[in-house]
Amino acid sequence: MPASFNQFVTEAITGPVPDPPGVKLVKEGLKVKHPVVFVPGIVTGGLELWEGHPCAEGLFRKRLWGGTFGEVYKRPLCWAEHMSMDNETGLDPPGIRVRAVTGLVAADYFAPGYFVWAVMIANLARLGYEEKNMYMASYDWRISYQNTEVRDRSLSRMKSNIELMVSTNGGNKAVIIPHSMGVLYFLHFMKWVEAPAPMGGGGGPDWCAKHIKAVMNIGGPFLGVPKSIAGLLSAEAKDIAVVRTMSATHPCASLGRAITPGVLDNDIFRLQTLQRVMQMSRTWDSTMSMIPKGGDTIWGDLDWSPEEDYAPSIRKQKKIDTQVVNKDENGSMASQRKLKNYGRIISFGKDVAFAPSSEIERIDFRGAYKGCSVANSTCRDVWTEYHEMGIEGIKAVAEYKVYTAGSLVDLLEFVAPKMMARGSAHFSYGIADNLDDPKYQHYKYWSNPLETKLPNAPDMEIFSLYGSGLPTERGYIYKFSSSADCYIPFQIDTSADDEDEDGCLQDGVYTVDGDQTVPVLSAGYMCAKGWRGKTRFNPSGIRTFIREYDHSPPANLLEGRGTLSGDHVDIMGNFGLIEDILRVAAGATGEELGGDQVHSDIFKWSEKIKLQLLELLTAIAFWWKWPSPDKCLSAWMLED
């Protein structure tokens, strides 16, 4: 068929298709100005083999990740062996070297026909961009951020390439475009590049101010994602949990979509697919960077959460008629809505998820006895850390009944001590009391925005660009089997549904507003409040902007993944997002884009989070000079 056939049919159904952003902006006279740097996230960057075991004969420099995934089906055990890291060091196993693909091809497409950065690159090219002013900062997304430098010098290469592009493009500062976990990776980079050697890149305290115009974060899990907990606890999330109970194929997301050709209990690995996935993914230190950060202060506790009044019908009504929603939120109808216990990220049993906290009897799992191995000898080749817990340890986890963000790290340290021992050396999940404490100069804090300061770069801008309007995983109802034997003892209870027609519990998963992977709270809070104005996390007052893109599904099948999508990956083809990025690359500021563009309740939810945003001495000074204690307290909580 002619290449234009899809467009011809689409226009016949829905009318003329708008010009792609690159074409539109060329007509407006926009041209290349700032060099751009793409920072891919987890999963989307290609990995290729440089050294392997005999089973990988003939695969030198062939992609093991990204591409056709043919090796998954041809030799799955060999593939899993080569995609795994050393369980002790988190680095290469003996005799295996898998490295990131370089160049724009590293992450333009995840698989044939499934774009990641390709649409954005094509639109930038229409503006005049090419490889001399575009750079894909690819890295091995499996290993910890600091280890990408230790092993591959990935951070040094990003530093050198940014410096080169700035110097060869008339001194124009770079626009950085990270996506997903790449947002956390670049947050780490901004601390690394200015920190003194040997821990840092030695660029000095003004490197970011000299080299970066704007950081345009796409779908950033700044404060982590609850979805990571389900992945680490039971190697599943909503898509995988549902497909276990089905007898047909299902389009699983992320890792599941890539390596699950059918029912997960059917054996492509000859024995327990999910166990193989868990065994492999628990060696990837990067997954631990996305554990929820900030504890109960950010995510809520047994009785409270910032999004507790979220309801899909209210959001839909807000989209139709703002006045009706305001009346509902401020009037008597609001008090009649049942608040959701989103702070309960893991609940063992639907009754526990709904019960008043005073009625939940819990037995502390910390320090519980780990008895004899539950695994028999036939399970040894799919070893997971559950095999060392024994039935007593497994029961202790379930008897604690409910876990909030404040107890998740303890939970993971109990069920996966080897994994967390590695992760704890590279990542942290708390809130800093005093950011001037010398301990926060260590790299383990650099990717946590609640334990580090932004650079001293007042002319730089930070954007949070993300989708909204899609149900996004926030909490889980679990069940466990005391006779797990070879199997993972915990599973999402897909029979648990909310009886309330306006409920957010379906197939054992609580959902809130987001992009189907990252909740709005995680993607938006730092730019909405944590960094807004001069705060202790943003002492130089870098300007921050939120640009939300409300999800609209494709108008028809021929439109593919849509030009108005808010999905975590499909948003990379969203015309509105691409236009915003192109305008900034051509020289626009956040104010010139129109400032904030918000469809969710991110500002309202952010106000509910009681987090100290000024250093204590500054707050005392405010109290001393402010005319009203109430106004002083407001300034302390908000901004300078």
Side-chain angles (χ1 to χ4, degrees):
M1 293 183 183
S4 60
F5 178 76
N6 284 4
Q7 180 176 344
F8 172 79
V9 176
T10 299
E11 290 186 354
I13 297 172
T14 62
V17 175
D19 285 336
V23 174
K24 174 184 175 182
L25 299 185
V26 165
K27 291 178 180 178
E28 292 184 18
L30 271 66
K31 298 179 181 178
V32 173
K33 184 174 183 181
H34 297 276
V36 297
V37 177
F38 310 116
V39 186
I42 193 169
V43 170
T44 54
L47 301 173
E48 61 187 18
L49 183 69
W50 280 80
E51 180 185 3
H53 292 167
C55 69
E57 184 68 28
L59 296 180
F60 176 67
R61 293 205 64 199
K62 295 291 193 302
R63 289 201 184 199
L64 295 188
W65 189 267
T68 63
F69 288 93
E71 295 310 315
V72 180
Y73 308 118
K74 292 178 183 177
R75 29 187 154 179
L77 292 174
C78 182
W79 174 85
E81 179 185 10
H82 285 75
M83 282 296 296
S84 299
M85 308 306 297
D86 185 276
N87 204 35
E88 299 293 334
T89 65
L91 293 169
D92 294 325
I96 292 177
R97 282 186 294 149
V98 175
R99 297 293 183 263
V101 177
T102 58
L104 295 179
V105 297
D108 53 354
Y109 288 91
F110 176 64
Y114 192 89
F115 69 79
V116 184
W117 294 92
V119 179
M120 191 176 301
I121 291 170
N123 278 277
L124 282 161
R126 290 183 181 275
L127 221 60
Y129 280 88
E130 50 193 84
E131 287 203 89
K132 68 183 180 184
N133 42 34
M134 284 194 293
Y135 169 62
M136 181 72 71
S138 58
Y139 58 97
D140 188 340
W141 46 262
R142 299 171 302 164
I143 61 181
S144 71
Y145 305 159
Q146 192 70 5
N147 274 343
T148 65
E149 174 65 14
V150 171
R151 195 193 73 178
D152 301 333
R153 301 293 183 262
S154 296
L155 298 173
S156 290
R157 286 188 287 113
M158 191 183 335
K159 174 178 181 284
S160 297
N161 275 282
I162 292 174
E163 291 171 346
L164 176 64
M165 288 199 300
V166 170
S167 66
T168 57
N169 282 272
N172 289 313
K173 300 177 187 178
V175 172
I176 315 298
I177 312 170
H179 173 243
S180 191
M181 192 185 76
V183 167
L184 301 180
Y185 186 67
F186 193 75
L187 192 63
H188 179 99
F189 170 84
M190 287 195 292
K191 295 297 292 187
W192 172 88
V193 72
E194 295 191 344
M199 189 179 296
D206 58 352
W207 190 95
C208 291
K210 288 180 177 179
H211 294 91
I212 302 175
K213 166 186 164 56
V215 185
M216 305 195 76
N217 301 291
I218 304 174
F222 286 106
L223 301 177
V225 287
K227 197 171 187 174
S228 66
I229 301 301
L232 293 171
L233 183 65
S234 59
E236 61 182 347
K238 181 179 180 181
D239 307 272
I240 295 177
V242 171
V243 76
R244 293 176 93 162
T245 65
M246 298 170 64
S247 59
T249 58
H250 188 278
C252 295
S254 301
L255 179 62
R257 179 187 288 126
I259 66 174
T260 309
V263 182
L264 285 173
D265 288 333
N266 286 348
D267 238 341
I268 66 168
F269 290 132
R270 300 181 191 161
L271 185 65
Q272 292 89 37
T273 302
L274 279 182
Q275 281 81 332
R276 294 286 182 184
V277 172
M278 173 175 283
Q279 185 183 50
M280 177 175 63
S281 62
R282 280 192 178 181
T283 68
W284 298 346
D285 288 352
S286 61
T287 60
M288 287 174 276
S289 70
M290 292 185 288
I291 293 172
K293 302 173 178 68
D296 295 355
T297 299
I298 298 292
W299 295 93
D301 55 27
L302 295 181
D303 300 309
W304 167 85
S305 65
E307 316 104 310
E308 61 187 355
D309 58 354
Y310 170 74
S313 66
I314 299 300
R315 191 189 190 284
K316 290 177 183 176
Q317 185 63 30
K318 179 178 180 180
K319 194 172 181 180
I320 297 170
D321 185 347
T322 303
Q323 291 183 341
V324 173
V325 175
N326 287 341
K327 180 179 179 181
D328 179 75
E329 289 179 350
N330 298 323
S332 60
M333 289 181 64
S335 63
Q336 298 173 11
R337 291 205 306 271
K338 184 178 180 181
L339 300 181
K340 311 295 192 304
N341 296 325
Y342 291 127
R344 305 179 188 188
I345 294 178
I346 297 289
S347 300
F348 278 90
K350 181 179 175 181
D351 56 333
V352 172
F354 285 89
S357 59
S358 59
E359 298 178 7
I360 300 175
E361 297 182 2
R362 306 160 80 187
I363 300 175
D364 200 341
F365 65 94
R366 302 172 183 88
Y369 172 72
K370 294 185 179 182
C372 298
S373 172
V374 299
N376 60 45
S377 59
T378 65
C379 303
R380 276 296 143 194
D381 61 339
V382 283
W383 173 91
T384 68
E385 292 185 80
Y386 285 123
H387 295 160
E388 298 182 354
M389 287 181 60
I391 190 62
E392 295 302 321
I394 290 171
K395 285 177 62 178
V397 170
E399 289 174 351
Y400 193 68
K401 294 185 178 178
V402 59
Y403 295 83
T404 66
S407 53
L408 289 178
V409 173
D410 288 341
L411 169 64
L412 292 175
E413 287 177 344
F414 186 77
V415 303
K418 291 184 179 180
M419 178 190 76
M420 292 301 290
R422 296 193 321 270
S424 298
H426 289 275
F427 304 108
S428 182
Y429 313 102
I431 300 173
D433 293 325
N434 176 16
L435 286 166
D436 292 324
D437 189 323
K439 78 173 186 179
Y440 291 110
Q441 296 175 15
H442 191 274
Y443 59 76
K444 69 180 287 184
Y445 301 103
W446 292 349
S447 61
N448 181 355
L450 302 175
E451 293 183 305
T452 192
K453 296 179 183 180
L454 289 176
N456 182 19
D459 294 330
M460 192 172 87
E461 294 183 329
I462 294 181
F463 295 79
S464 192
L465 318 172
Y466 56 89
S468 63
L470 285 167
T472 303
E473 295 172 45
R474 180 63 162 84
Y476 303 89
I477 309 296
Y478 267 87
K479 60 183 179 181
F480 89 105
S481 170
S482 59
S483 57
D485 209 26
C486 291
Y487 297 92
I488 296 171
F490 308 122
Q491 293 182 8
I492 295 173
D493 185 357
T494 57
S495 67
D497 290 315
D498 202 328
E499 297 172 1
D500 183 354
E501 62 181 15
D502 197 32
C504 298
L505 173 63
Q506 184 177 9
D507 299 324
V509 180
Y510 274 108
T511 58
V512 291
D513 197 1
D515 68 3
Q516 216 163 17
T517 295
V518 182
V520 160
L521 186 70
S522 180
Y525 172 77
M526 292 309 297
C527 281
K529 186 177 179 184
W531 287 331
R532 187 145 294 204
K534 288 187 177 181
T535 72
R536 65 191 184 106
F537 306 110
N538 180 18
S540 69
I542 294 171
R543 293 181 299 280
T544 63
F545 300 92
I546 288 179
R547 304 285 290 177
E548 292 183 349
Y549 307 89
D550 206 32
H551 176 75
S552 291
N556 56 71
L557 292 176
L558 294 174
E559 194 180 325
R561 289 156 64 196
T563 59
L564 296 172
S565 177
D567 176 83
H568 185 65
V569 177
D570 293 356
I571 198 173
M572 304 289 277
N574 184 297
F575 277 13
L577 176 140
I578 294 173
E579 181 177 331
D580 284 348
I581 288 174
L582 265 61
R583 288 188 182 279
V584 172
T589 65
E591 290 295 340
E592 289 169 339
L593 290 187
D596 296 320
Q597 172 181 280
V598 176
H599 301 281
S600 73
D601 287 323
I602 181 59
F603 286 111
K604 183 178 76 171
W605 294 338
S606 296
E607 287 304 311
K608 294 182 179 181
I609 295 174
K610 305 306 179 186
L611 176 65
Q612 177 189 336
L613 295 182
L614 293 183
E615 296 292 0
L616 184 59
L617 291 178
T618 305
I620 292 173
F622 268 146
W623 187 277
W624 181 260
K625 71 179 182 180
W626 218 269
S628 162
D630 290 339
K631 291 182 180 179
C632 172
L633 184 59
S634 176
W636 181 16
M637 297 302 296
L638 292 176
E639 58 181 337
D640 188 340

